[in-house]
């Protein structure tokens, strides 16, 4: 699973963030790998990555055009890519398009975010606008459905 953090604002988590945190805990408990990607931010998790976690900074408009990410993705065994993002912005969309064109199955978690996102109304509007386009290039799944299917935990 790839968690894309477009920005961070410390505040109380909303429903998307609570769902994202629950999914990440289940994912980690199942021993599945997680990659945290940040754009335009200093890496805040680099020193604190846990077992099965890696952090990197995206240098390209798509993760699948980023040499560092590609090496990591190949090392993890690809070809499936699961995207979980704050606002499901350009990085998620361009990665989903590139994955679709390259024949990589892509799953986008539609109802969870990994980190606090800022103004809830702004984030909800951005997510709602992105989902129809993302659904053209990726399978959309809910956090609970993904957790049940991949971690075996209800």
């Amino acid at each position: 699973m790839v968690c894309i953090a477009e920005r961070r604002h410390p505040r109380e988590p909303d429903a998307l963030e609570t769902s994202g945190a629950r999914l990440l805990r289940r994912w980690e408990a199942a021993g599945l790998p997680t990659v945290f990607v940040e754009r335009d931010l200093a890496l805040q998790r680099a020193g604190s990555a846990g077992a099965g976690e890696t952090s990197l900074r995206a240098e390209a408009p798509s993760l699948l055009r980023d040499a560092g990410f590609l090496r990591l993705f190949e090392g993890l065994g690809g070809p499936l890519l699961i995207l979980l993002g704050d606002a499901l912005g350009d990085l998620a969309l361009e990665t989903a398009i590139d994955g679709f064109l390259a024949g990589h199955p892509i799953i986008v978690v539609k109802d969870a975010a990994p980190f606090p996102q800022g103004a809830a109304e702004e984030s909800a509007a951005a997510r709602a606008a992105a989902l129809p386009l993302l659904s053209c290039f990726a399978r959309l799944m809910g956090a609970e459905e993904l957790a049940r299917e991949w971690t075996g935990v209800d």
Side-chain angles (χ1 to χ4, degrees), residues 48-106:
S48 63
E53 288 183 12
T54 304
S55 294
L56 60 90
R57 169 179 251 152
E59 301 292 338
S62 164
L63 292 174
L64 295 173
R65 288 185 238 162
D66 186 282
F69 180 79
L70 282 174
R71 282 190 301 276
L72 179 63
F73 185 54
E74 290 168 2
L76 291 173
L80 174 67
L81 188 57
I82 299 172
L83 301 174
L84 170 69
D86 286 346
L88 297 179
D90 294 342
L91 183 62
L93 179 59
E94 294 214 23
T95 300
I97 292 169
D98 284 349
F100 177 80
L101 293 174
H104 292 294
I106 305 286

Side-chain angles (χ1 to χ4, degrees), residues 87-141:
L88 297 179
D90 294 342
L91 183 62
L93 179 59
E94 294 214 23
T95 300
I97 292 169
D98 284 349
F100 177 80
L101 293 174
H104 292 294
I106 305 286
I107 295 173
V108 173
V109 183
K110 64 183 178 179
D111 62 350
F115 303 112
Q117 311 170 119
E121 314 80 49
E122 175 188 325
S123 297
R127 181 173 291 274
L131 287 176
L133 187 53
L134 276 166
S135 70
C136 295
F137 304 102
R139 177 181 175 196
L140 301 180
M141 289 183 78

